[in-house]
Amino acid sequence: MQIVILKDATEVAEYGANLFVNQLQKKPASVLGLATGSTPVALYQNLIARNHAGDISFANAISFNLDEYLGLDGDHPQSYRYFMNQQLFNHIDIDINNTHVPPGNAADPIVACEVYEQQIAQAGGIDIQLLGIGRNGHIGFNEPSSGLTSRTRVKTLTKATIEDNARFFAEDEYQPHLSITMGIGTILDAKKVVLLATGENKAQAIKATVEGPLTAACPASVLQMHRNAVIVIDEAASSQLADVDFYKHIEAENQKLLARLARK
Ligand code: PGA
């Protein structure tokens, strides 16, 4: 794993956005794995700005989101489809028909999960997958105890996740307790994985992800098995890591090497 520790959330968003910019510049028809939550919003704002500046185009890109609430239509303001349209898709040159979010209103959710897997495979697999992380170490809606080779499926949310996300729902509004989420195996198939985390309240989950044992108790720890995973965090989220100096040293060496290669 590449562990990148930066000053604050702004630097984390910029670093993460640059990985997507590089990917799109290298391969305009990239298959992008996208995420919802508070953390990716600043990264999406970066990508919108870079799209408007003409640095990147999404015209040939295809996207797949990690997850969706089961029971919400795509036009429901709390649905992740709605979030993605508002936060990214409506502001960039992507063809909306090339954007995929698991269908929260599927008549048969089990079949919908299989279809989602097929669509990812037909697109050639995900080139770069963006992830946030829950305080309990979840990635997508793969809560602790999720199978480490699981595929897209219906998952029940933990009480902790429901509480964390309650802030987005009005007090008397229906809040789903079920989701459709890419599985951990689906995420591991992505060619590159970029996990962003900021703030003190993610420090424990990041400690478990980076330095803990590989365990279903912290689904993100499975990234220790991925050949190209980048963990981009701010100082606050790194505050429980034992080896911060070592990670910073490796990253500084990486950057020196990249600068040297770029000069050649
Ligand atoms: P957050 O959610 O970015 O809103 O903290 C992350 C997640 O639960 O994956």
Side-chain angles (χ1 to χ4, degrees):
M1 283 186 296
Q2 186 188 351
I3 320 292
V4 183
I5 302 170
L6 301 167
K7 192 167 64 103
D8 54 25
T10 306
E11 288 191 1
V12 167
E14 255 170 41
Y15 193 104
N18 278 333
L19 297 177
F20 278 77
V21 168
N22 293 345
Q23 174 67 39
L24 282 164
Q25 287 175 339
K26 214 169 54 196
K27 182 181 171 191
S30 286
V31 181
L32 309 175
L34 301 176
T36 50
S38 317
T39 315
V41 170
L43 180 147
Y44 292 151
Q45 282 166 1
N46 258 276
L47 292 182
I48 292 166
R50 303 292 292 271
N51 185 214
H52 291 179
D55 297 341
I56 45 167
S57 170
F58 295 85
N60 296 308
I62 300 177
S63 75
F64 289 91
N65 262 77
L66 282 170
D67 48 14
E68 178 61 284
Y69 286 116
L70 195 56
L72 296 190
D73 278 329
D75 55 5
H76 189 290
Q78 305 310 336
S79 74
Y80 286 171
R81 158 55 75 183
Y82 187 88
F83 174 100
M84 289 308 300
N85 289 350
Q86 294 291 318
Q87 297 294 335
L88 183 66
F89 300 147
N90 289 350
H91 311 286
I92 57 175
D93 63 347
I94 200 162
D95 178 349
I96 200 77
N97 296 314
N98 286 338
T99 69
H100 303 83
V101 179
N105 57 358
D108 187 334
I110 313 263
V111 170
C113 293
E114 275 167 37
V115 169
Y116 205 65
E117 286 282 338
Q118 284 161 9
Q119 287 173 321
I120 295 172
Q122 272 159 15
I126 292 168
D127 289 304
I128 181 167
Q129 175 68 55
L130 180 63
L131 297 176
I133 183 170
R135 283 188 302 132
N136 61 7
H138 74 200
I139 46 177
F141 274 139
N142 295 284
E143 301 283 30
S145 83
S146 288
L148 296 181
T149 61
S150 50
R151 311 302 303 187
T152 303
R153 69 214 184 291
V154 173
K155 280 295 286 180
T156 306
L157 307 184
T158 60
K159 273 196 182 143
T161 297
I162 292 166
E163 276 162 27
D164 280 351
N165 290 353
R167 67 188 195 277
F168 298 112
F169 291 82
E171 222 171 275
D172 54 354
E173 198 174 9
Y174 166 66
Q175 187 184 352
H177 293 189
L178 292 175
S179 67
I180 295 182
T181 181
M182 278 187 203
I184 294 179
T186 321
I187 293 168
L188 284 178
D189 282 350
K191 294 177 187 90
K192 188 180 184 83
V193 175
V194 179
L195 184 148
L196 304 189
T198 60
E200 188 84 45
N201 66 338
K202 298 292 172 70
Q204 205 183 335
I206 288 298
K207 163 88 178 158
T209 299
V210 174
E211 294 176 343
L214 196 168
T215 167
C218 175
S221 67
V222 78
L223 297 180
Q224 294 172 23
M225 290 285 289
H226 196 277
R227 66 189 183 285
N228 196 358
V230 192
I231 314 287
V232 191
I233 55 181
D234 66 356
E235 297 276 356
S238 77
S239 58
Q240 289 192 28
L241 292 177
D243 275 330
V244 165
D245 290 345
F246 178 55
Y247 308 136
K248 285 188 172 173
H249 171 68
I250 303 174
E251 181 58 16
E253 292 297 313
N254 277 343
Q255 293 305 330
K256 269 193 242 165
L257 186 64
L258 287 175
R260 209 156 58 228
L261 291 174
R263 278 199 302 274
K264 276 196 181 149

